[in-house]
Coordinates of all heavy atoms in Angstrom, one line a residue:
I77 N 10.1 6.4 -11.8 CA 11.1 7.5 -11.9 C 12.5 6.8 -12.0 O 12.9 6.1 -11.1 CB 11.1 8.4 -10.7 CG1 9.7 9.0 -10.5 CG2 12.2 9.5 -10.8 CD1 9.3 10.0 -11.5
A132 N 12.3 14.6 -3.0 CA 11.0 14.1 -3.1 C 10.0 15.2 -3.5 O 9.0 15.0 -4.2 CB 10.5 13.4 -1.9
T133 N 10.2 16.4 -2.9 CA 9.3 17.5 -3.2 C 9.2 17.9 -4.6 O 8.2 18.3 -5.1 CB 9.6 18.7 -2.3 OG1 11.1 19.0 -2.5 CG2 9.3 18.5 -0.8
I135 N 9.5 15.8 -7.1 CA 8.7 14.8 -7.8 C 7.3 15.0 -7.5 O 6.4 14.9 -8.4 CB 9.2 13.4 -7.3 CG1 10.6 13.1 -7.7 CG2 8.2 12.3 -7.9 CD1 11.2 11.8 -7.2
I136 N 6.9 15.4 -6.3 CA 5.5 15.7 -5.9 C 5.0 16.9 -6.8 O 3.9 16.8 -7.3 CB 5.4 16.1 -4.4 CG1 5.7 14.8 -3.6 CG2 4.0 16.6 -4.2 CD1 4.6 13.7 -3.7
L139 N 4.3 15.5 -10.2 CA 3.0 14.7 -10.3 C 1.8 15.6 -10.2 O 0.8 15.3 -10.9 CB 3.0 13.7 -9.1 CG 4.1 12.7 -9.2 CD1 4.1 11.8 -7.9 CD2 4.0 11.8 -10.4
T150 N -2.0 9.1 -8.3 CA -0.8 8.8 -9.0 C 0.3 8.7 -8.1 O 0.6 9.6 -7.3 CB -0.5 9.9 -10.0 OG1 -1.6 10.0 -11.0 CG2 0.7 9.5 -10.8
V151 N 1.0 7.5 -8.1 CA 2.1 7.3 -7.2 C 3.4 7.1 -8.0 O 3.3 6.3 -9.0 CB 1.9 6.1 -6.2 CG1 0.8 6.5 -5.2 CG2 1.5 4.9 -7.0
A152 N 4.4 7.8 -7.7 CA 5.7 7.5 -8.3 C 6.5 6.5 -7.5 O 6.5 6.5 -6.3 CB 6.5 8.8 -8.4
V153 N 7.2 5.6 -8.2 CA 8.1 4.6 -7.6 C 9.5 4.8 -8.2 O 9.6 5.1 -9.4 CB 7.5 3.2 -7.8 CG1 6.2 3.0 -7.2 CG2 7.5 2.8 -9.3
T154 N 10.5 4.5 -7.4 CA 11.8 4.7 -7.8 C 12.8 3.8 -7.0 O 12.4 3.4 -5.9 CB 12.3 6.1 -7.7 OG1 13.7 6.3 -8.1 CG2 12.3 6.6 -6.2
L158 N 15.5 8.8 -1.5 CA 14.8 10.1 -1.5 C 15.2 11.0 -0.2 O 15.6 10.4 0.8 CB 13.3 9.9 -1.4 CG 12.7 9.1 -2.6 CD1 11.2 8.9 -2.2 CD2 12.8 9.9 -3.9
F168 N 11.5 7.6 3.3 CA 11.0 6.5 2.5 C 10.0 6.9 1.4 O 10.0 6.4 0.4 CB 10.3 5.4 3.4 CG 11.3 4.6 4.2 CD1 11.3 4.7 5.6 CD2 12.1 3.7 3.6 CE1 12.1 3.9 6.3 CE2 13.0 2.9 4.4 CZ 13.0 3.0 5.7
G169 N 9.2 7.9 1.8 CA 8.2 8.4 0.8 C 7.6 9.7 1.2 O 7.9 10.2 2.3
L170 N 6.8 10.3 0.3 CA 6.2 11.6 0.6 C 4.9 11.6 -0.2 O 4.9 11.1 -1.3 CB 7.1 12.7 0.2 CG 6.8 14.2 0.6 CD1 6.9 14.3 2.2 CD2 7.7 15.1 0.0
A171 N 3.9 12.3 0.3 CA 2.6 12.3 -0.4 C 1.9 13.7 -0.2 O 2.1 14.4 0.8 CB 1.7 11.2 0.0
V177 N -1.4 12.5 -4.9 CA -0.1 12.1 -5.5 C 0.9 11.7 -4.4 O 0.8 12.2 -3.3 CB 0.5 13.2 -6.4 CG1 -0.5 13.5 -7.6 CG2 0.8 14.4 -5.6
G178 N 1.8 10.9 -4.7 CA 2.8 10.5 -3.8 C 4.0 9.8 -4.4 O 4.0 9.5 -5.6
V179 N 5.1 9.7 -3.7 CA 6.3 9.1 -4.2 C 6.9 8.3 -3.1 O 6.9 8.6 -2.0 CB 7.3 10.1 -4.8 CG1 7.7 11.1 -3.7 CG2 8.6 9.4 -5.3
F180 N 7.4 7.1 -3.5 CA 8.2 6.3 -2.5 C 9.3 5.5 -3.2 O 9.2 5.3 -4.3 CB 7.3 5.4 -1.7 CG 6.3 4.5 -2.5 CD1 6.6 3.3 -2.9 CD2 5.1 5.1 -2.8 CE1 5.7 2.5 -3.6 CE2 4.2 4.3 -3.5 CZ 4.5 3.0 -3.9
S181 N 10.3 5.2 -2.4 CA 11.5 4.6 -2.9 C 11.6 3.2 -2.3 O 11.4 3.0 -1.1 CB 12.7 5.4 -2.5 OG 13.9 4.7 -2.7
E222 N 0.9 3.0 1.0 CA 0.9 4.4 0.6 C -0.3 4.7 -0.2 O -0.9 5.8 -0.1 CB 2.2 4.7 -0.2 CG 3.5 4.6 0.6 CD 3.5 5.5 1.9 OE1 2.8 6.5 2.0 OE2 4.2 5.1 2.9
M226 N -4.0 7.4 0.1 CA -4.7 8.2 -0.9 C -6.2 8.1 -0.9 O -6.9 8.9 -1.4 CB -4.2 7.8 -2.3 CG -2.7 7.9 -2.5 SD -2.1 9.6 -2.4 CE -0.3 9.4 -2.6

Side-chain angles (χ1 to χ4, degrees):
I77 304 290
T133 49
I135 298 174
I136 292 293
L139 296 177
T150 301
V151 290
V153 298
T154 183
L158 299 172
F168 284 114
L170 193 66
V177 297
V179 56
F180 47 95
S181 168
E222 296 301 336
M226 303 295 176

